[in-house]
Amino acid sequence: LIQNHFKKRNSLFKKRRFFVLALSAMAVMMGLGIIAPLMPLYAKNMGASGLWLGIIFSSYSLSRLIFVPMIGKMSDKNGRKKIIVIGLFLYSIFSLAYVFATNVYTLSIVRFLQGFASAMTLPIIMAYVGDISPKGQEGKYMGYFNVSRFLGLGMGPFLGGVLNDCYGIDSAFYALSALTALAFVSTIFFLQEEEGFLKAK
């Protein structure tokens, strides 16, 4: 009976962690989707040429390319939650920085910094999902997790368009920051580090 009790409790904890991780991923992807269709317009208003549009968009992926491997190793050694929390906090801050970007140079820097924050969120969240997935159910858990990701990414552009038409383009950046801040708070209070994972280190 005691063994069954602990199994049920452990299963409940894993489901709660999974929900928080899925919510965080959905918030980040929704925020990303909010600004994705508006970014070319925002850059064009700053006088961006075709070349600078390419630089602005590439800087985000370039940053992830550089930092994801290093941050992944850090999370293996120091735990997932710390990295995710810091990443969500920085993502929220850098999202606000879009409002203060005045030219293509600062906009490229903001995109690069947001790519760095992104490297600390989604890849590490996915690693955490892998940590808590029951043996033999990894595909199932990852499938449900990707539903939350694509739900956020699918809703984001529509929401961004509505915000832009009703309140102006800056409102999209405020929404992105607010969504990520919500995920940040949820992660702090409701996501626990895997005890077994830490002990193994």
Side-chain angles (χ1 to χ4, degrees):
L1 291 177
I2 295 176
Q3 187 177 9
N4 288 335
H5 170 74
F6 280 112
K7 284 184 178 180
K8 288 181 180 178
R9 190 178 70 169
N10 187 45
S11 177
L12 181 62
F13 284 160
K14 284 186 176 183
K15 287 179 180 179
R16 187 176 71 177
R17 291 182 184 123
F18 178 82
F19 178 78
V20 174
L21 292 168
L23 177 65
S24 298
M26 186 173 70
V28 171
M29 295 303 291
M30 185 182 297
L32 188 62
I34 285 174
I35 66 170
L38 304 178
M39 189 55 60
L41 298 175
Y42 196 59
K44 278 288 188 182
N45 289 338
M46 293 182 182
S49 63
L51 175 62
W52 271 106
L53 277 174
I55 292 173
I56 290 167
F57 275 87
S58 296
S59 59
Y60 182 89
S61 297
L62 176 63
S63 180
R64 286 172 59 93
L65 177 67
I66 295 171
F67 293 111
V68 163
M70 292 185 287
I71 293 172
K73 290 181 180 179
M74 288 174 57
S75 75
D76 289 338
K77 294 180 179 179
N78 303 309
R80 315 288 190 204
K81 180 179 177 178
K82 297 174 187 176
I83 304 296
I84 295 171
V85 167
I86 295 171
L88 289 172
F89 175 76
L90 292 176
Y91 203 98
S92 181
I93 297 299
F94 294 148
S95 297
L96 283 178
Y98 281 109
V99 178
F100 304 100
T102 56
N103 52 55
V104 292
Y105 308 106
T106 54
L107 185 57
S108 297
I109 293 172
V110 171
R111 288 285 291 174
F112 186 86
L113 292 174
Q114 193 180 41
F116 169 69
S118 175
M120 302 178 75
T121 54
L122 285 176
I124 311 305
I125 289 173
M126 292 177 71
Y128 198 124
V129 172
D131 291 338
I132 64 174
S133 297
K135 188 175 181 179
Q137 299 185 48
E138 294 86 356
K140 173 184 174 182
Y141 269 62
M142 194 56 67
Y144 284 138
F145 174 74
N146 279 305
V147 167
S148 68
R149 286 181 58 206
F150 290 116
L151 180 63
L153 189 60
M155 294 171 58
F158 174 76
L159 181 58
V162 172
L163 289 172
N164 180 56
D165 289 346
C166 295
Y167 304 106
I169 196 167
D170 284 354
S171 65
F173 302 127
Y174 291 128
L176 169 57
S177 180
L179 284 169
T180 315
L182 174 63
F184 166 71
V185 173
S186 299
T187 301
I188 288 179
F189 289 104
F190 300 111
L191 183 66
Q192 294 176 309
E193 193 66 82
E194 273 288 271
E195 294 179 4
F197 175 81
L198 289 180
K199 287 178 181 178
K201 302 301 173 186

